[in-house]
Amino acid sequence: MRRAGLGALAAVAALAGYLGYLHRSGNFHEVVAGELYRSAQVTGQDIADYRARYGIRSILNLRGVSREAWYGEEISEADRLGIVHADFAMSASRQLDGAEAADLIALMRSLPKPLLVHCRHGSDRTGLAMALYLAALSGASEAEAEGQLSLRFGHF
């Protein structure tokens, strides 16, 4: 019994460590090479770095317009670097309806590539957007699309 408890504790500690790593790393991942990237909330420095390293031409913010400092920094840095910025407000606790999903797909289709999509943590809203992109725009398999909503990216 004690060994099982220690095993469970070790598993929880490993999961917490991994989730901490995702948070510290910005949960940045390449989804489609040279075309589509995902992350948690970006800083101005992140934007400049991703532009230099990956040629990011547009950013899609899934958190919606905000009066908070992060939003102003994001808009300012995108503008300074000539990156197209778009907002699509989603909630991590509410499903998109069919029309909203179609609107999101159309927006992602229209944005210049490479495209960076983010929400706060880069796991739930961003995962759904990535799954929709892969299924509707990249011709990926259902399993590949569904894989964007996984623990690998911090999604529960």
Side-chain angles (χ1 to χ4, degrees), residues 11-136:
V12 168
L15 177 60
Y18 179 68
L19 294 175
Y21 162 76
L22 287 179
H23 179 72
R24 287 186 309 279
S25 71
N27 205 4
F28 180 87
H29 301 276
E30 180 179 77
V31 179
V32 178
E35 181 178 334
L36 182 64
Y37 301 85
R38 64 182 289 169
S39 76
Q41 178 59 54
V42 289
T43 65
Q45 183 58 52
D46 292 335
I47 294 169
D49 182 48
Y50 298 154
R51 171 69 174 195
R53 292 172 58 193
Y54 304 100
I56 298 300
R57 294 183 54 215
S58 60
I59 295 172
L60 175 55
N61 162 40
L62 300 176
R63 298 179 71 187
V65 175
S66 175
R67 293 176 188 231
E68 294 181 39
W70 65 265
Y71 187 77
E73 179 181 5
E74 182 173 317
I75 294 293
S76 177
E77 189 65 10
D79 186 54
R80 185 183 77 76
L81 295 171
I83 296 173
V84 174
H85 187 275
D87 299 296
F88 188 92
M90 289 174 64
S91 170
S93 61
R94 188 182 68 77
Q95 285 186 315
L96 292 181
D97 65 28
E100 292 167 324
D103 288 346
L104 177 56
I105 291 166
L107 178 58
M108 290 188 292
R109 176 183 287 124
S110 73
L111 290 169
K113 309 305 181 284
L115 166 63
L116 172 66
V117 179
H118 81 81
C119 60
R120 184 172 182 189
H121 297 291
S123 53
D124 303 321
R125 291 172 280 191
T126 298
L128 177 58
M130 296 301 93
L132 289 170
Y133 188 101
L134 289 177

